[in-house]
Amino acid sequence: MATLIFPEHPSPVADAEALRKACQGWGTDEKAIISILGRRNAIQRKLIRKAYEDMYQEDLVKRLESELSGDFEKAVYRWTLDPEDRDALLLNVAIKQLPIPDYRVIVEISCIRSHEELLAIKHAYQIRYKHSVEEDLAQHTTGDIRQLLVGLVSVYRYNGKEINARLASSEAEILHRAISEKVFNHEETIRIITTRSKAQVLATLNHFKDDYGTSITKHLRGDLDSDYLSALRTAIRCICDYHKYYEKVVRRALDKPGTDEDSLTRVIITSAEKDLKDIKELFQKRNSRPLEHAVAKDTSGDYKAFLLTLLGKED
């Protein structure tokens, strides 16, 4: 369930006027920006952006980018975008990251979003960057990880719940044979993970655990410095239980010496309108403290206030 709290019928014109006022004068009224944008859903934010541009002949997102700074600016900027445009931006930043692409973000978006959402993201990516996701990924990766990541973003998975138990058993055997021979990059492994429906992959992995006594990710260790194996494990975790995966991302982001703000922001802004409440519950169970308390302890200022608003904190 979502954590975002928003009114049913706010006036986009009134919101646009209030945001204009917050950005004028000697100082920016960050509290006003948080109280408006942090309490509006994607459709409402889209209407505000349109009203703002119609009234002031100015792009609201660009105005916010110029008025704000640091982690707060990055979070507000990304939150204000349409969800598919935001994910296109996140993909591009991840692909272009140096010295190597951030495969975690690429895998997250490819494996957690629905097939309709992924198509919309890829369309938004082409409009924004004048390239396809696949083209940019292929340019910035090589070898096994290129084959895996391009396969993940290219696929249009079947979205149904039906499974073929016999197929799951036979493909679990294929995966076990590849792992036993330490051929982790076997083309059949990549084929199974990138093309089968999520329900079918889950059935195969459950067969693997039942037949061979342990989860497949325990076997996918090999070279601990292998980006390919790390990406493969991430894909499996995202397909199997992405709430559990996201809880771990947030926990690690907060546990680091120096908070990993990029990861923390990414999970909160992409989940607040969907299922952040489920991630919060897992975090509470795993860490014996509310996620809000952990975020408040490890962040500060307007950035903290904005994240807490998205987490459902009442005014």
Side-chain angles (χ1 to χ4, degrees):
M1 293 176 64
T3 56
L4 182 68
I5 300 171
F6 57 91
E8 282 193 24
H9 303 293
S11 165
V13 171
D15 284 344
E17 290 173 342
L19 288 168
R20 175 77 167 186
K21 183 179 179 182
C23 293
Q24 288 182 319
W26 289 104
T28 306
D29 187 348
E30 289 87 356
K31 287 185 179 179
I33 292 171
I34 294 170
S35 69
I36 297 169
L37 293 177
R39 296 283 188 221
R40 301 293 185 269
N41 65 25
I43 294 173
Q44 292 166 347
R45 297 194 303 275
K46 190 182 189 77
L47 292 173
I48 293 169
R49 293 199 315 272
K50 184 178 186 307
Y52 190 95
E53 186 162 5
D54 289 345
M55 294 164 67
Y56 306 113
Q57 290 74 56
E58 182 180 39
D59 187 320
L60 174 60
V61 174
K62 290 182 179 177
R63 182 60 184 264
L64 292 169
E65 188 178 19
S66 69
E67 291 287 334
L68 310 177
S69 62
D71 294 314
F72 178 52
E73 178 272 321
K74 187 181 290 186
V76 171
Y77 175 90
R78 294 178 177 183
W79 172 253
T80 308
L81 296 173
D82 289 334
E84 63 271 18
D85 204 30
R86 177 200 307 137
D87 279 346
L89 173 69
L90 291 172
L91 273 175
N92 185 259
V93 171
I95 291 169
K96 300 292 179 66
Q97 179 175 292
L98 296 175
I100 59 170
D102 186 346
Y103 62 80
R104 295 173 306 163
V105 177
I106 300 163
V107 171
E108 281 175 24
I109 293 173
S110 302
C111 294
I112 294 175
R113 305 297 183 263
S114 70
H115 54 287
E116 291 93 350
E117 288 171 333
L118 188 55
L119 278 177
I121 293 161
K122 290 165 67 175
H123 181 64
Y125 191 100
Q126 291 192 24
I127 292 172
R128 182 179 267 264
Y129 301 109
K130 314 305 179 190
H131 299 105
S132 70
V133 179
E134 293 89 341
E135 182 180 358
D136 282 350
L137 253 182
Q139 181 181 344
H140 289 84
T141 55
T142 59
D144 298 329
I145 197 163
R146 172 196 281 173
Q147 188 177 358
L148 175 64
L149 295 180
V150 171
L152 288 172
V153 301
S154 301
V155 74
Y156 188 83
R157 293 181 191 268
Y158 174 61
N159 202 37
K161 301 298 183 184
E162 301 88 350
I163 62 167
N164 183 323
R166 183 175 297 177
L167 179 66
S169 178
S170 67
E171 293 194 332
E173 185 178 349
I174 290 171
L175 292 173
H176 183 259
R177 186 161 57 247
I179 288 170
S180 298
E181 297 170 0
K182 297 195 179 300
V183 188
F184 300 115
N185 60 347
H186 195 287
E187 62 180 15
E188 287 294 274
T189 300
I190 294 175
R191 176 189 64 78
I192 292 165
I193 299 301
T194 61
T195 67
R196 293 298 185 199
S197 71
K198 293 178 182 179
Q200 187 65 40
V201 172
L202 189 56
T204 297
L205 298 178
N206 285 337
H207 262 283
F208 187 100
K209 187 173 183 178
D210 292 342
D211 294 345
Y212 304 108
T214 187
S215 67
I216 192 171
T217 52
K218 302 291 185 184
H219 294 280
L220 295 175
R221 295 297 173 182
D223 181 358
L224 294 179
D225 293 326
S226 168
D227 291 323
Y228 165 75
L229 282 180
S230 295
L232 185 59
R233 289 196 302 270
T234 300
I236 290 169
R237 286 167 178 150
C238 287
I239 291 170
C240 288
D241 189 344
Y242 71 87
H243 291 135
K244 185 177 178 181
Y245 167 79
Y246 269 154
E247 185 281 326
K248 189 173 184 178
V249 171
V250 169
R251 174 162 35 92
R252 288 186 169 180
L254 293 167
D255 285 348
K256 279 187 174 182
T259 307
D260 179 357
E261 288 86 357
D262 274 356
S263 294
L264 180 63
T265 300
R266 184 177 75 253
V267 174
I268 290 177
I269 66 172
T270 59
S271 304
E273 296 181 84
K274 292 182 173 182
D275 45 21
L276 188 51
K277 190 171 287 187
D278 301 294
I279 298 164
K280 283 173 58 176
E281 290 172 359
L282 282 173
F283 187 92
Q284 169 87 48
K285 184 176 180 181
R286 176 70 170 73
N287 302 279
S288 302
R289 59 172 176 162
L291 179 54
E292 295 94 322
H293 291 184
V295 169
K297 180 175 179 291
D298 279 46
T299 58
S300 62
D302 297 317
Y303 175 61
K304 175 176 80 172
F306 186 60
L307 292 189
L308 291 177
T309 299
L310 297 184
L311 281 162
K313 182 177 181 291
E314 300 282 358
D315 293 329

